[in-house]
Amino acid sequence: RARNKERARNEELGIKSDPKPKPVGAQAKQTRNAAPDIPAQSYGMWAYQRKAALLYLDIRVQVFVACLIAANFLANIIEEWVDPAGTEHEAVWKVFDNMFNVLFSMELLLNMYGFWFRRFWKSAWNVFDFVVVSVGLLGLFEVPLPGPLGMLRMLRAFRVFRLFKRVKSLNKLMVTLAKAVPGVVNAFLIVVIVMCIYSILGVEFFSDYGADLVFTNEMGENVPLVTLRGLPFGDEYFGNFGKSLYTMFQVLTGESWSEVVARPLLHSNNPVLTLGVAFYFASFTIFVGIVLINVVVAVLLEKMVDNESEEQEEEGRETVETKTDAKAEVKAVREESENTQLQELGNASLTEMEGDMEELRRELKLVKLEIRKVAEVFETMEPVFTENAESTLSHEPLSESAPAD
């Protein structure tokens, strides 16, 4: 009511007021956190755009699409489990694939119509949906893709990522991980640098080991040393920087590196080489596999916690702003109400004063009328008073005791 009265006064004074007042408090927070802004009512071919947007954002539609994505992912798992080659039940898998393609296409068209143009393309999730659904439509219409483009059909396996857009907890986790990536990159870069250093040392020390397809063990016996692929040991694992780097990655993961990579080097008849190999792999495992990897994890957790704390602080600030704005709004409404009451009281007092003045005017008129009547009576009685006064002065003098007046 206060806003309406203020707007009415502004219109009387010729001041243009904002027809849509800015949201405050909880309204402002809801506006900031709202999902894509709803388009205004339009006409022509966009007459139903607003209704389409509201329908797309309806919780029932979002849950239905999420269930479709999960069902499609489950169908892909069953297909690759039961019929990996896709030849035994080809017709069944084709029906499921076409059904999901049609449903996802309808969902995409509804989204595009409801939020076209800028509202749709500014969302990275919408772009991802468009790419995945478009690749699915290529399979639906059996469009031939030459060469490596045929691998685009594999994108249908990534449809499940569309679930992150609709499940709030998963979406929050993905956003937190994305925000933590810049801080983790620095720690991960240290791990890569140290691995590169060890890879260079591996090429220098072990690239020629077992070049003759044999090595001499600690007992002085020549033992054949050929890998399962029929290659020399040193050449396969440490032949160049790339092979050595992959070997160190295998050591980092702990995948059968001790028996396959380290022990043929450790059982050499050269004690210096044996000691160097032990120190080489032990130091790499401790420094990189334990210390630096845990540093990466610690940095990741720290960034995630910091992001969570920032969100909580932001929510706290928004809560304080909400309370402050609410108090300010209540105060403004109260002041407006008091001003309105004072104005009404002043109007009432002015009305009463005008009534009293009117009553006083009527009384003054009556008094004037009475004075006029008295004057007429005195005018009528003036000759009598004059005659009596002359008679009294000539025949009956006043006594000494009579009053002077």
Side-chain angles (χ1 to χ4, degrees):
R1 288 197 299 269
R3 290 197 188 99
N4 293 334
K5 290 181 179 180
E6 182 180 0
R7 190 179 298 113
R9 288 198 301 270
N10 292 338
E11 290 177 356
E12 292 177 358
L13 297 175
I15 301 175
K16 294 183 179 181
S17 58
D18 186 7
K20 295 181 179 180
K22 295 181 179 180
V24 296
Q27 295 178 354
K29 179 180 178 182
Q30 183 178 2
T31 302
R32 289 192 297 268
N33 296 337
D37 50 337
I38 306 299
Q41 183 63 40
S42 301
Y43 303 94
M45 65 175 295
W46 304 106
Y48 300 98
Q49 184 182 24
R50 181 176 177 83
K51 293 182 179 180
L54 294 174
L55 176 62
Y56 180 78
L57 294 178
D58 189 270
I59 185 62
R60 292 167 293 185
V61 175
Q62 294 297 316
V63 171
F64 176 72
V65 175
C67 292
L68 280 181
I69 296 172
N72 178 50
F73 187 62
L74 182 61
N76 290 336
I77 293 176
I78 296 175
E79 178 183 357
E80 299 300 329
W81 193 340
V82 176
D83 188 11
T87 56
E88 296 182 6
H89 309 284
E90 183 177 1
V92 176
W93 310 131
K94 192 68 175 178
V95 168
F96 276 104
D97 194 31
N98 292 340
M99 179 187 68
F100 286 118
N101 283 330
V102 171
L103 293 175
F104 289 144
S105 300
M106 294 172 61
E107 180 255 344
L108 180 65
L109 290 176
L110 179 63
N111 187 10
M112 295 179 69
Y113 178 76
F115 298 98
W116 189 263
F117 172 77
R118 183 180 59 84
R119 296 182 183 90
F120 178 83
W121 292 109
K122 73 178 181 180
S123 173
W125 287 111
N126 289 338
V127 176
F128 178 77
D129 290 351
F130 179 80
V131 173
V132 173
V133 174
S134 299
V135 172
L137 290 177
L138 294 178
L140 176 64
F141 295 106
E142 298 181 355
V143 178
L145 297 176
L149 294 178
M151 298 182 65
L152 288 176
R153 301 186 190 279
M154 297 176 61
L155 284 176
R156 66 176 188 167
F158 293 92
R159 287 174 180 169
V160 68
F161 281 106
R162 303 175 64 217
L163 199 61
F164 295 156
K165 172 184 175 181
R166 292 164 176 84
V167 181
K168 185 177 180 181
S169 57
L170 295 178
N171 191 8
K172 183 178 180 181
L173 180 61
M174 292 295 294
V175 172
T176 304
L177 287 175
K179 291 181 179 180
V181 166
V184 177
V185 167
N186 297 328
F188 186 72
L189 183 60
I190 298 176
V191 175
V192 174
I193 291 175
V194 174
M195 289 181 63
C196 291
I197 293 173
Y198 274 84
S199 300
I200 294 172
L201 294 177
V203 174
E204 292 290 335
F205 294 147
F206 311 126
S207 60
D208 295 333
Y209 191 79
D212 299 331
L213 303 182
V214 294
F215 83 102
T216 304
N217 59 17
E218 62 268 23
M219 299 178 63
E221 298 176 352
N222 292 329
V223 180
L225 184 60
V226 182
T227 65
L228 296 177
R229 285 147 296 279
L231 299 174
F233 174 86
D235 181 68
E236 179 169 340
Y237 291 107
F238 300 97
N240 54 40
F241 176 79
K243 294 179 180 179
S244 182
L245 182 62
Y246 185 79
T247 301
M248 301 317 298
F249 180 74
Q250 179 182 355
V251 175
L252 181 63
T253 60
E255 180 61 31
S256 66
W257 66 271
S258 178
E259 184 65 29
V260 176
V261 179
R263 291 196 180 277
L265 297 170
L266 192 63
H267 289 282
S268 172
N269 62 343
N270 187 350
V272 177
L273 178 61
T274 300
L275 183 61
V277 169
F279 178 78
Y280 178 84
F281 286 105
S283 62
F284 179 82
T285 303
I286 294 173
F287 186 61
V288 179
I290 297 177
V291 177
L292 291 182
I293 292 299
N294 286 323
V295 168
V296 173
V297 175
V299 172
L300 177 62
L301 294 177
E302 180 184 6
K303 295 298 181 181
M304 294 180 67
V305 171
D306 290 343
N307 290 330
E308 187 71 21
S309 301
E310 291 176 359
E311 291 179 359
Q312 292 179 356
E313 291 178 0
E314 184 178 357
E315 291 178 358
R317 288 195 297 269
E318 290 178 352
T319 303
V320 173
E321 292 176 359
T322 301
K323 293 181 179 179
T324 304
D325 295 338
K327 290 181 180 179
E329 187 175 0
V330 171
K331 184 178 178 180
V333 172
R334 185 180 300 169
E335 293 178 353
E336 183 68 23
S337 177
E338 292 176 356
N339 294 334
T340 304
Q341 292 177 358
L342 290 175
Q343 186 177 2
E344 293 176 354
L345 181 61
N347 294 334
S349 300
L350 183 60
T351 303
E352 293 177 0
M353 187 179 298
E354 291 177 353
D356 294 340
M357 292 294 295
E358 186 68 24
E359 184 68 23
L360 182 59
R361 291 192 191 95
R362 287 195 297 268
E363 291 180 359
L364 288 175
K365 288 180 179 180
L366 293 176
V367 170
K368 289 180 179 180
L369 182 61
E370 293 295 333
I371 291 174
R372 189 177 295 111
K373 290 180 180 180
V374 171
E376 291 177 355
V377 171
F378 272 103
E379 290 177 356
T380 305
M381 299 296 295
E382 184 178 1
V384 178
F385 286 141
T386 305
E387 182 180 355
N388 292 337
E390 292 177 352
S391 174
T392 303
L393 290 174
S394 56
H395 300 285
E396 296 180 358
L398 295 173
S399 62
E400 295 180 357
S401 62
D405 291 338

